[in-house]
Amino acid sequence: MPAFLLEVGTEELPASFLSSAVAQWKSLIPQSLADNSLTSDAVEVYGTPRRLAVLIKGLPSKQADREEEIKGPPAQAAFKDGTPTPAAQGFAKKQGVELDALEVRATDKGDFVFVRKVIPGRSVAEILTELVREWMSRLEGKRLMRWGDGDLRFSRPIRWLVTLLDEAVLPIELVNGSETIKSDRISRGHRILHPEPVIIPQAIDYVTVMRLASVVVNVEERAKIITQEVKESAQKLNGYAEIYPDLLEEVTNLVEWPSAVIGKFETEYLNLPTEVITTVMVHHQRYFPVFKKAGGSRRGAASEGRQEAEGDKLDPSSSSTLDKELLPYFVTISNGDSAKSDIIAVGNERVIRARLADGKFFYDADLKNPLDSFLPQLAKVTFQEDLGSLLDKVGRISKIAAQIAEQLQLNEDERHHIHRAALLCKADLVSQMVYEFPELQGIMGQKYALASGEPQAVATAIFEHYLPRGADDILPQTLTGQVVGLADRLDTLVSIFGLGMIPTGSSDPFALRRAANAVINITWAADLSINLQQLLEQIATDFVAARDKNKTELVATLEEFFLQRIRTLLQEEKQIDYDVVNAVLGENDRDYAERALKDLLDVRDRALFLQQIRNDGTLDKIYETVNRSARLAAQGDLDTKQLDPTVAVSPELFQKPSEAAFYNALVELLPQTQTAGRSRNYQLLVAGLEEIAPTVSNFFDGAESVLVMDPDPQIKRNRLHLLGLLRNHARVLADFGAVVKNL
């Protein structure tokens, strides 16, 4: 079966675009083939800095013929007394068939004329010629460019095009103004190691032929080569290397023929914080740091194995590098001649030596003054044009942190640490080190705080208040870091929303969704009993005090935004069914929304518990009882917050024993429900609902059943109140009406 090769040769592609383009083609091309009724055995997408390619194996030579049924005019319009009318003749001519090929068939709308046609499949060569342009034009990326005098757009100028169906060239032309690129079988090898043209005899030979030209086109293979060579290089130095995923991906997309090069630097630079050195290596120079192995390391062999097992996810600038000891070496990946490794190493060593010398100068200069001496400089740095300076923001963070501490009823030492950490949390932003290496914000603040004699809790919080910095990052682990992190994000959210800069669609320049997610996740992970609604009210009040803004509208918008984030996190991160989320947040019930915002821990626990009892079958045992009661109770007038039957029901109006039994069961249920609400132990409530279910069933359908909608309005109201009370008890957990039965 035929194989097809498409290679788009370019000037050096950005690593980020190459990674994205490969992923896009892996999704786009198989779907495109399916849409055109083409099957294949394999679709292999390749990419290097100078090319993007796809090899499709096991294609058919043509599409399969297909039969198509086409509906024509109504039979009464197509035939008159059995004779074809102009309508029938026109339909047959349009479809390219004889009149005797027309069929009359009954439909829901009467008899219509139909015709069956066999449509021959097109050749695969013809289809692929069209699809090549589509695959190229549908690639998305940042800052696609035009070149020459044409309108063709791609990440970088296209220089050659290979299109082979087995051994035959599919003739395709890309016209770009006065320049025309014609497809051929001629590719190009490595710029240095194989500058001669590369002739590809047939599509299936692509990977092998390119390897002979010193180009490894398979992205995954290059990544494995790099990983292996980096690890082996580190072992030669009696050390081990961290393989950071983002760095590995970037380096893989920067080379075609990877070769590891070992470089070194002066041991005096090891006196710098480890994070400074690794940031220079990883973020700025794309080097792999080398650390001491067990025996010479504070980290140890067990820790090394653990880190590798976790997929090398550590951030080179995180505080987790504190327990690792660097060696004065690094490993870089060359795209040149491995025989010239010594020369390449010298050049890289010269660069990193200069960068580390800068780092040492900045570090020494910063340490000459205590961290709080940087605070006045924050007044000169604008946070946002309409929100003042960073010093203004620090003042707001301090006030919000104090409000959170008040809610949590913290002691004086804890409040002092929080106040101090909030005051100093942005001070390192005006240090020389962070100005040069922004990735070290918070990290240097932590180190400078310790050097200035600040308590460990304060120093740690300065780093932690930035956590999480991304979707896969850790959360702050200390109470001080958690509170200051919440305060920082809440200030940003209220302030930016107050200016009307609300995220729309995919546009979120201030990362407000991420900030709100962090507020919720930190609160959940640390079990912080904060009243988010109250905090938003307090912060919004302070914000509008100096501005002509509508506080009610601002708070309402923020509350809705947080409710959306809670909904998303429950569904996507906690794996809660959508209807269960609706049940705990209330689809059209403001009581549930306010309850969620006042107690984030409660909405989490209710959602997790309700999902649990769905999964174990307990929900089915109470679902019908609660829902039937709630549907009828809606016709009554009982307040949804009322739980006490002695207040809402008149026993003297009972006419049957089932009413008294229902009433007594509600009296017994009341303390269970109240305890469940206070302790968030909702198992007590559900156990009570299970126990009352037979009594309610007898009330509805047993030998002593009653007519709820009694002609006597007082009796009817009394019975509706019984049902309303059961509904209200269930509402302490969730709105069962929002739960879809047997989902």
Side-chain angles (χ1 to χ4, degrees), residues 537-551:
E537 284 276 355
Q538 291 173 329
I539 302 166
T541 298
D542 292 337
F543 177 83
V544 301
R547 297 172 175 85
D548 184 18
K549 299 288 182 180
N550 186 320
K551 190 188 84 168

Side-chain angles (χ1 to χ4, degrees), residues 320-451:
S320 59
T321 59
L322 286 171
D323 63 347
K324 296 182 291 184
E325 190 172 352
L326 278 167
L327 289 172
Y329 298 99
F330 61 88
V331 181
T332 185
I333 300 300
S334 167
N335 190 38
D337 187 350
S338 58
K340 305 288 180 62
S341 292
D342 291 344
I343 299 174
I344 296 170
V346 170
N348 282 277
E349 289 168 357
R350 185 184 304 117
V351 174
I352 197 170
R353 187 178 298 117
R355 297 291 287 174
L356 292 177
D358 288 344
K360 185 176 185 305
F361 173 82
F362 299 140
Y363 185 58
D364 291 343
D366 289 339
L367 285 178
K368 291 177 181 177
N369 300 292
L371 183 59
D372 57 9
S373 69
F374 293 116
L375 288 175
Q377 297 179 51
L378 291 177
K380 302 175 183 177
V381 182
T382 301
F383 167 61
Q384 198 279 337
E385 184 179 3
D386 297 313
L387 297 174
S389 68
L390 279 176
L391 189 60
D392 295 325
K393 181 174 179 61
V394 164
R396 297 193 298 269
I397 293 173
S398 298
K399 184 171 184 178
I400 297 168
Q403 293 167 342
I404 297 173
E406 181 69 26
Q407 284 194 6
L408 297 175
Q409 299 180 351
L410 303 182
N411 61 43
E412 284 303 314
D413 284 344
E414 290 169 328
R415 291 178 189 233
H416 174 72
H417 288 155
I418 288 170
H419 171 74
R420 192 67 181 166
L423 182 67
L424 298 174
C425 68
K426 304 298 181 184
D428 68 334
L429 295 181
V430 291
S431 68
Q432 294 189 57
M433 181 68 81
V434 175
Y435 181 83
E436 183 68 18
F437 303 113
E439 303 91 346
L440 294 173
Q441 65 179 10
I443 296 169
M444 299 315 300
Q446 179 183 28
K447 297 184 181 302
Y448 294 157
L450 290 173

Side-chain angles (χ1 to χ4, degrees), residues 222-230 248 251-252 255 258 288 333:
R222 288 202 310 280
K224 288 180 181 178
I225 293 171
I226 291 170
T227 300
Q228 185 63 30
E229 291 207 8
V230 169
L248 177 62
V251 171
T252 298
V255 298
F288 293 90
I333 300 300

Side-chain angles (χ1 to χ4, degrees), residues 193-263:
L193 303 177
H194 195 289
E196 301 85 5
V198 178
I199 298 175
I200 304 173
Q202 56 181 354
I204 204 69
D205 297 333
Y206 179 63
V207 175
T208 303
V209 171
M210 296 312 300
R211 183 181 295 277
L212 294 173
S214 299
V215 176
V216 179
V217 295
N218 188 297
V219 178
E220 290 78 15
E221 184 181 355
R222 288 202 310 280
K224 288 180 181 178
I225 293 171
I226 291 170
T227 300
Q228 185 63 30
E229 291 207 8
V230 169
K231 289 184 176 181
E232 289 177 355
S233 297
Q235 288 170 2
K236 292 177 184 177
L237 301 167
N238 195 31
Y240 69 92
E242 300 280 17
I243 308 296
Y244 304 107
D246 290 345
L247 176 60
L248 177 62
E249 180 180 353
E250 183 178 12
V251 171
T252 298
N253 290 330
L254 290 172
V255 298
E256 294 191 320
W257 192 256
S259 176
V261 175
I262 296 174

